[in-house]
Amino acid sequence: MAAATSFYSSMAPHFQTKLPVKVTGTTLASRLGFSSTANSSRSAKLLAWTRAGAVAGGGGSALGAKMVLAPSIGKPALTLDFETSVFKKEKINLAGHEEYIVRGGRDLFGLLPEAFKGIKQIGVIGWGSQGPAQAQNLRDSLGVAQSDIVVKIGLRKGSSSFEEARAAGFTEENGTLGDIWKTISGSDLVLLLISDAAQADNYEKVFSHMKPNSILGLSHGFLLGHLQSLGLDFPKNVSVIAVCPKGMGPSVRRLYVQGKEINGAGINSSFAVHQDVDGKATNVALGWSVALGSPFTFATTLEQEYKSDIFGERGILLGAVHGIVEALFRRYTENGMDEELAYKNTVECITGIISKTISTKKKGKKEFNAAYSASYYPCMDILYECYEDVASGSEIRSVVLAGRRFYEKEGLPAFPMGNIDQTRMWKVGERVRSTRPEGDLGPLHPFTAGVYIALMMAQIEILRKKGHSYSEIINESVIESVDSLNPFMHARGVSFMVDNCSTTARLGSRKWAPRFDYILTQQALVAVDSGSSINQDLLSNFFSDPVHGAIEVCAQLRPTVDISVPPDADFVRPGCERSLPESWSWLCELCSSAVMVVGGEGSLFQ
């Protein structure tokens, strides 16, 4: 198909696949650096399949592709470097490409007053997903630093969030809670954390209330994309920076609180300096990220951030997962599988047990290989289209217009988003979770694993070909799932996430999940059922992909704290004070066993 062939490379002959070896006695999470050592002894042994067994079945593509996409090894499009006079910059090597990061840690909180020099008030605008988490983390970190910088919440008049903000310790009496416009006018650093659609509708008023030489802080590049679509840019008398946690607000707060005894626990962040009017923007951005608890912060651009972020949440982070499990649940039940078992073999498998051992029986190998081979290009087809819709501004415009349809206008009724959780599959999920024993990760289904890993690798390749840094690729395609979304989806279900996450992500999932569902049903599953041969070269390229080594480096930067999510966790509010008695280290191994079992030594997550 055109979407796939445009990516073809002539580099395939340069890659060789190592013979797999048996992996025993050590958890894959420990090998990654993702899990706490206390959990190492609980993991099952991982058995690597032989290469012959893994790729048996012939060399033709399940979809008749004439060529095979080889892993990218070319020079990245961007070289992202920065200078900071406050924090230590570190160079890392990811798949042969040099990138620069700043490690976080609570031992750096003492540097925050210097990083925020000249800032007397930080205004946090909005109390949605990121607002509560970032405001509390900033307040707590500045408190540790004994700084007198005020963190103030700004909300619209009459907002129901006033009570929630007061409950978190922000009050009008102590000057940390107030009207949105007065807060913006009085702040030296304005963190605009309202919804994307609200930013698009209110940016002019926000800009008009900002002080000259103040700093606008964003946690998403959506507003830049919207301005670009209108031929506009930010005012020239303010600095514009971004710190973008690679996870939902509740995860940003949850890991920060859990990691109080661990130096550096939290959610990774990217940062960007789009406009710097006084030379202070980089230090401020890095200070903001460190104060949030980011274990490491990597550089990006505001444009690259919004492209990868909006694309990612429509892909493996939410939309594509939604589409995959709908398609596979329907397939499994139509083929006679009990519906509760079908739910476990789809949703529970992806959000839970994929990290565990796959049987070495030949049937399991064949199922994984067939699913991967047949699903890779159909997934890439939709991902490619999605990325280009985001990059062109079409997807951003779609979100803005959808937000306006939530309200009555032009004589037409309001059309707010409805919920998806009342259909059969999601009602089955409620029953499964209500009877699920604590710590039960569900069954591992090799076919489901094959489809999911194919999706992940296709997303990685799209971002790589589009010039994103490996730090951004890995965080958007792997770590954000592991550290943020999948733990919450396992606790509450995929449908709950689709119904309760950010407006932009919810809209994206509803739009793109059916596309993944349909193309898998109409192309990938038909190819499998018709007995199409497995694409041996595609699997070989998977084994030798240079992203595997890059992921290992990123994993080593991850602190040894596993997020703990209670079954009643709130996706929007970060006040999850209950914790499960055991750390969910298995979530930090997400999908790794499936890949290790197929690829052996040198394969993904090894």
Side-chain angles (χ1 to χ4, degrees), residues 371-393:
Y372 183 93
S373 178
S375 301
Y376 182 86
Y377 285 120
C379 286
M380 178 174 279
D381 188 357
I382 304 302
L383 288 167
Y384 189 9
E385 178 187 351
C386 180
Y387 187 96
E388 301 230 309
D389 271 10
V390 173
S392 68

Side-chain angles (χ1 to χ4, degrees), residues 89-162:
K89 182 178 71 173
E90 179 179 342
K91 182 167 66 177
I92 60 174
N93 187 293
L94 299 178
H97 304 303
E98 292 181 350
E99 297 186 24
Y100 296 90
I101 66 167
V102 167
R103 293 181 189 253
R106 291 172 184 261
D107 59 326
L108 300 181
F109 289 175
L111 298 176
L112 295 179
E114 184 180 355
F116 291 139
K117 188 176 181 179
I119 292 175
K120 296 180 179 179
Q121 178 172 293
I122 300 174
V124 178
I125 310 304
W127 194 265
S129 175
Q130 288 290 334
Q134 293 202 29
Q136 292 179 87
N137 288 14
L138 279 163
R139 179 191 61 191
D140 293 354
S141 297
L142 288 168
V144 172
Q146 298 182 331
S147 169
D148 59 1
I149 296 174
V150 174
V151 177
K152 184 175 182 178
I153 309 299
L155 301 173
R156 58 181 171 78
K157 186 179 296 184
S159 171
S160 60
S161 297
F162 271 96

Side-chain angles (χ1 to χ4, degrees), residues 89 110 150 200 282 463 571:
K89 182 178 71 173
V150 174
T282 297
L463 289 172
F571 281 72

